[in-house]
């Protein structure tokens, strides 16, 4: 089997299949260091934690991760809404950076000798509608060809796998939001919980990576570049959007990483065409507000690996359900992330009326255990479905 893309989705799938004795190879366009240097997700649903543990990837996460059992939302400059996910749903989240998961995955691949080809250029997928697909790529100037049973596209939003599905078969759904997130990483003690903010100056978020590494975000203009944002300007804006007692928890320190990400929702359906399957960001993107992107990638891989293991044991029913089952979870996360994004951001041209309705929704959640339970249920992640039989 060929897996295109060695991000979290591709390298986790490789690891699970390798453990099950299924022959697979990952083709990754970038260098190992480049993939390890990308700063992205930080919050894992408990289902993700369990998938990682079940596949022998829990040791560092359990030693270094930080368990969160509250979601905190500051609003109107002084109010603070705290949802206790343990109380509401009996569930928690794990703070553990994507960079660390990626390192754990690459280390696991080194330890067991599963194969990841870095700097694989010009990957192309052929004859995907036949029983005998093949993949070509160029490595160290040499053209290579692999004949395989299946191809899995885990090559992210800008990958090539999705484009292999003819346009006549693919349906795409896209929503672009009129703002981005500017994120920094700083060596300073983080706010000790997840802290989101709705403020008339715009959204803000305080998260963490470890006890001496904080991750902060502020909503910014799509046209902004990181050069427009000195560290001083960043902290001025972040602290202007938070209540004074929360600001007291932040000790500004120089940024060691600074980047801007646009916010979008995107889904491509179906997740299967012939012998090609899509998983993770290759098929869907959510705005980071709900902390769902990496978790969806892990859920896809969970479903797909189960289905593929069944195929090699002679049962093809699960693989025929993969696209439908995975897409149900995807749309649930797409809807939730859209809702969180609408609730917490300042939209261009937002009127005082719209600001008040956002604030009223936050007031309602503050006072309603039912609303808190719904937020906690979705944020901590819905249970996995079973793939079932035909
Ligand atoms: P990735 O990580 O994009 O990996 C795809 C890999 O494919 C490679 N590739 C190719 N390889 C070969 N040939 C080609 N033609 C190729 N084209 C691309 C790429 O080099 C890359 O290595 O997708 P994957 O594996 O599906 O993983 C998805 C996650 O990375 C993503 O959903 C999350 O980072 C999203 N996300 C968050 N998710 C969460 O669950 N919780 C969070 O708290 C969270 N926070 C975030 C986020 C994403 C963010 N950004 C930057 C968009 C915060 C931010 C700011
Ligand atoms: C992060 O820690 O990077 C993070 C946390 C929560 C989010 C998005 C990103 O919703």
């Amino acid at each position: 089997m060929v897996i295109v893309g060695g991000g979290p989705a591709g390298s986790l799938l490789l690891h699970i299949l390798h453990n099950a004795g299924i022959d697979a190879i990952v083709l990754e366009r970038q260098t190992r260091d480049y993939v390890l240097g990308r700063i992205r997700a930080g919050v894992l649903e408990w289902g993700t934690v369990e998938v990682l543990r079940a596949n022998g990837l829990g040791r560092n996460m359990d030693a270094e991760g930080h368990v969160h059992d509250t979601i905190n939302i500051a609003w109107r400059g002084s109010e603070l809404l705290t949802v206790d996910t343990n109380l509401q749903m009996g569930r928690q989240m794990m703070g553990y950076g994507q960079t660390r998961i990626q390192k754990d995955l690459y280390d696991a691949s080194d330890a067991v000798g599963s194969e990841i080809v870095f700097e694989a250029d010009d990957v192309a997928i052929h004859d995907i509608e036949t029983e005998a697909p093949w993949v070509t790529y160029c490595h160290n100037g040499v053209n290579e060809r692999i004949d395989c049973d299946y191809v899995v596209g885990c090559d992210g939003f800008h990958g090539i796998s999705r484009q292999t599905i003819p346009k006549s078969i693919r349906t795409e759904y896209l929503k672009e939001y009129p703002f981005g997130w500017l994120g920094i990483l700083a060596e300073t003690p983080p706010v000790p919980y997840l802290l989101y903010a709705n403020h008339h100056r715009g959204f803000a978020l305080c998260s963490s990576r470890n006890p001496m590494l904080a991750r902060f975000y502020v909503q910014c203009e799509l046209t902004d570049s990181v050069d427009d944002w000195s560290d001083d300007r960043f902290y001025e804006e972040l602290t202007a959007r938070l209540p004074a007692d929360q600001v007291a928890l932040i000790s500004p320190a120089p940024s060691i990483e600074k980047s801007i990400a646009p916010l979008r929702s995107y889904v491509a359906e179906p997740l299967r065409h012939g012998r090609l399957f899509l998983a993770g960001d290759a098929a869907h993107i959510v705005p980071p507000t709900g902390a769902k992107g990496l978790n969806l990638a892990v859920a896809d891989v969970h479903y797909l690996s189960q289905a593929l293991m069944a195929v090699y044991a002679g049962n093809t029913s699960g693989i025929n359900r993969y696209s439908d089952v995975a897409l149900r979870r995807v749309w649930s996360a797409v809807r939730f992330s859209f809702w969180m994004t609408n609730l917490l951001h300042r939209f261009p041209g937002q009127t005082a009326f719209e600001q008040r309705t956002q604030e009223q929704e936050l007031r309602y959640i503050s006072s309603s255990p039912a609303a808190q339970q719904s937020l906690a249920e979705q944020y901590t992640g819905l249970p996995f479905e079973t793939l079932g039989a035909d």
Side-chain angles (χ1 to χ4, degrees):
M1 185 171 333
V2 174
I3 300 168
V4 185
S11 45
L12 176 61
L13 182 63
L14 175 74
H15 183 74
I16 297 175
L17 295 179
H18 185 91
N19 279 350
I22 297 168
D23 194 17
I25 182 170
V26 164
L27 303 177
E28 166 58 50
R29 188 176 53 183
Q30 303 288 354
T31 64
R32 179 179 177 130
D33 286 348
Y34 181 90
V35 179
L36 287 172
R38 290 189 300 219
I39 309 296
R40 288 184 166 182
V43 181
L44 307 181
E45 296 175 353
W46 214 257
T48 300
V49 168
E50 281 170 354
V51 168
L52 294 174
R53 281 182 184 160
N55 289 289
L57 295 160
R59 197 163 46 92
N60 294 336
M61 175 181 70
D62 285 323
E64 297 166 30
H66 174 76
V67 175
H68 293 289
D69 50 19
T70 61
I71 308 158
N72 301 274
I73 304 176
W75 56 285
R76 253 189 128 203
S78 58
E79 311 279 341
L80 185 69
L81 153 63
T82 296
V83 177
D84 182 330
T85 61
N86 229 350
L87 182 74
Q88 297 301 339
M89 283 306 300
R91 291 214 292 266
Q92 302 168 310
M93 298 74 70
M94 177 73 86
Y96 190 61
Q98 180 167 331
T99 319
R100 292 291 290 114
I101 294 178
Q102 192 67 68
K103 183 168 185 314
D104 294 344
L105 282 163
Y106 287 165
D107 288 349
S109 164
D110 291 343
V112 299
S114 59
E115 196 174 356
I116 304 178
V117 178
F118 291 97
E119 297 179 84
D121 292 325
D122 304 326
V123 174
I125 302 169
H126 310 271
D127 287 345
I128 205 64
E129 290 158 4
T130 73
E131 303 273 287
W134 48 290
V135 176
T136 52
Y137 64 102
C138 182
H139 187 237
N140 291 335
V142 180
N143 292 323
E144 307 277 0
R145 168 180 172 144
I146 308 175
D147 293 275
C148 53
D149 297 341
Y150 296 100
V151 180
V152 184
C154 296
D155 47 350
F157 185 64
H158 300 288
I160 50 97
S161 301
R162 187 173 70 244
Q163 317 299 339
T164 311
I165 304 179
K167 275 207 163 122
S168 57
I169 292 169
R170 208 177 347 129
T171 309
E172 294 178 290
Y173 303 85
L174 173 68
K175 172 160 183 68
E176 289 175 307
Y177 300 86
F179 38 70
W181 277 20
L182 169 65
I184 71 161
L185 205 55
E187 286 172 318
T188 184
V191 174
Y193 36 78
L194 281 164
L195 177 63
Y196 293 84
N198 171 309
H199 192 272
H200 66 82
R201 297 179 70 99
F203 169 88
L205 168 61
C206 302
S207 182
S208 59
R209 288 295 177 272
N210 67 46
M212 262 312 287
L213 198 54
R215 181 76 168 148
F216 300 116
Y217 298 95
V218 293
Q219 173 183 347
C220 66
E221 300 287 330
L222 275 174
T223 48
D224 284 357
S225 102
V226 288
D227 301 331
D228 300 327
W229 286 86
S230 64
D231 287 355
D232 285 350
R233 179 177 174 208
F234 182 90
Y235 283 112
E236 219 169 274
E237 199 54 50
L238 175 71
T239 53
R241 297 177 186 192
L242 297 170
D245 54 345
Q246 305 300 316
V247 172
L249 300 169
I250 297 173
S251 312
S255 63
I256 56 172
E257 194 267 354
K258 194 180 278 170
S259 53
I260 293 182
L263 268 66
R264 58 167 79 92
S265 305
Y266 172 85
V267 184
E269 296 182 355
L271 303 186
R272 174 186 190 170
H273 178 60
R275 289 187 163 238
L276 171 70
F277 299 92
L278 300 178
D281 279 17
H284 42 75
I285 296 281
V286 286
T289 330
K292 289 285 174 239
L294 173 62
N295 292 296
L296 277 183
V298 170
D300 287 354
V301 167
H302 167 71
Y303 289 133
L304 186 57
S305 57
Q306 282 194 336
L308 287 169
M309 288 189 284
V311 166
Y312 286 101
N315 177 354
T316 54
S317 64
I319 205 75
N320 295 329
R321 290 173 188 274
Y322 165 68
S323 182
D324 287 347
V325 171
L327 279 170
R328 274 200 286 275
R329 190 178 187 86
V330 167
W331 275 107
S332 167
V334 166
R335 194 210 64 80
F336 176 68
S337 306
F338 169 74
W339 175 78
M340 284 273 283
T341 302
N342 285 332
L343 179 67
L344 297 179
H345 290 77
R346 179 86 183 165
F347 284 73
Q350 185 165 330
T351 61
F353 173 85
E354 287 156 344
Q355 178 76 24
R356 286 301 287 265
T357 55
Q358 270 186 347
E359 289 172 3
Q360 182 52 38
E361 184 154 10
L362 288 159
R363 183 173 293 115
Y364 164 64
I365 299 169
S366 305
S367 65
S368 163
Q372 291 186 18
Q373 194 178 33
S374 170
L375 171 55
E377 180 183 36
Q378 296 176 87
Y379 194 90
T380 58
L382 299 171
F384 291 127
E385 288 184 48
T386 48
L387 276 170
D390 280 332

